[in-house]
Amino acid sequence: MTPGARGGPPSYVTELGAIVAGALRQLVRQPSHSRRAVAARYWALRALLLTALLAVVIAVLMVALDATEIGWMPPRGTAALWPVRIITDFGKSAYVLWTLALLVVALVLIAAKLGAWRRVVLLSLATRVQFLFLAVLVPVLVGDLLKGIIGRGRPFVGGEANPFNFSHFAWSEAYSSLPSGHATTAFALAFAVSALWPRTTAWMFGYAIAIAVSRLVLLAHHPSDVVAGALTGIIGAMAVRYWFAARRLAFTIQPDGRIVALPGPSLDQLKKVARGALAS
């Protein structure tokens, strides 16, 4: 019998289970924000306009630049490109998602050991990291589905730089060029982080652009692929942000429909929580 069953303080496992169950309930509960319909219209319009604009850009790039751009890049396998290969790995969805998932798990495991106010602070941070994880995961899954359906060949698949080399429903690595998975991951993460912490916007989108450029330099994608990846990442992250805002998780909705981040835990609060966790 656990201490909680005898009427004493609940066990660590009980506390942990309650935290996990509560997190899942709040994520799938019915939306409660009174302005969610206004926000849905506001962001649906912007998503539609962004999609229409970038669809035109993608089409123009396919015709006017995709084949030409390949000739500007150094030959595949150039030894001097090793720094670019390191940079591009920071856009791998597996690396980003596993990092965020492990961070959420670590925060929850620590929170279950802490007292009331410290737990609230840490779980507030965990909710934000959970948002980052889902804001990347959802567009990555959508992007993987699109890759298989569209079946666009990567540069030089088939022996030549042909931007119109398609094998629909191929579901193979060679024909998974559109959209770029690295660009999807990087732009989804950039949008999500900057949505929570607007001061990071320039840095995060600088990171995303660097990842996109690295895919071109390494001849892994055409320019239109990375633009399509950026679009997939941003639209997917926008949808996840709306889901959270409609449930008053990490975001709120203003009267005009704009979604803004709620104040999160301060650095001083996190330092106090860290000291408490180390002391426990």
Side-chain angles (χ1 to χ4, degrees):
M1 182 179 293
T2 64
R6 295 194 299 267
S11 69
Y12 174 77
V13 173
T14 301
E15 295 280 12
L16 182 60
I19 289 173
V20 173
L24 293 176
R25 281 197 303 270
Q26 71 177 7
L27 187 61
V28 300
R29 72 189 182 209
Q30 288 295 315
S32 59
H33 206 297
S34 60
R35 300 180 187 133
R36 61 186 183 277
V38 179
R41 291 192 296 270
Y42 183 95
W43 289 106
L45 176 60
R46 277 149 184 79
L48 181 62
L49 292 175
L50 182 61
T51 301
L53 173 63
L54 290 186
V56 172
V57 172
I58 291 166
V60 170
L61 289 174
M62 281 186 174
V63 174
L65 186 62
D66 279 0
T68 305
E69 178 270 341
I70 291 176
W72 300 343
M73 297 298 118
R76 190 190 299 272
T78 300
L81 293 179
W82 64 266
V84 182
R85 296 188 186 95
I86 293 174
I87 290 171
T88 206
D89 281 346
F90 286 94
K92 279 188 175 181
S93 59
Y95 293 174
V96 172
L97 289 170
W98 273 110
T99 299
L100 293 171
L102 291 173
L103 182 54
V104 171
V105 170
L107 290 171
V108 170
L109 290 175
I110 296 170
K113 298 176 60 178
L114 301 178
W117 79 265
R118 288 189 172 92
R119 178 178 298 181
V120 169
V121 171
L122 213 57
L123 291 181
S124 176
L125 179 60
T127 297
R128 284 155 176 77
V129 180
Q130 182 186 44
F131 161 71
L132 296 179
F133 174 79
L134 292 173
V136 175
L137 177 64
V138 169
V140 164
L141 294 177
V142 171
D144 285 346
L145 180 63
L146 292 175
K147 282 173 178 283
I149 294 172
I150 296 170
R152 189 187 195 187
R154 294 182 183 273
F156 294 114
V157 167
E160 59 180 346
N162 179 10
F164 297 100
N165 181 17
F166 290 90
S167 179
H168 303 305
F169 300 99
W171 305 103
S172 70
E173 179 63 22
Y175 288 92
S176 61
S177 195
L178 179 69
S180 163
H182 283 67
T184 299
T185 299
F187 278 89
L189 183 63
F191 179 89
V193 172
S194 60
L196 286 172
W197 299 288
R199 291 183 180 180
T200 67
T201 299
W203 290 100
M204 290 307 304
F205 278 94
Y207 146 79
I209 291 170
I211 297 299
V213 170
S214 75
R215 304 310 287 160
L216 300 179
V217 173
L218 295 174
L219 295 177
H221 288 283
H222 303 284
S224 56
D225 297 334
V226 299
V227 174
L231 173 64
T232 304
I234 291 172
I235 297 298
M238 285 173 62
V240 174
R241 182 180 63 169
Y242 171 77
W243 182 279
F244 272 65
R247 289 157 180 78
R248 303 176 187 270
L249 298 173
F251 296 96
T252 190
I253 302 170
Q254 297 193 332
D256 63 357
R258 289 185 301 117
I259 297 174
V260 297
L262 290 168
S266 67
L267 186 58
D268 286 342
Q269 288 175 321
L270 292 174
K271 287 179 179 177
K272 291 179 181 178
V273 168
R275 286 196 292 268
L278 292 173
S280 61

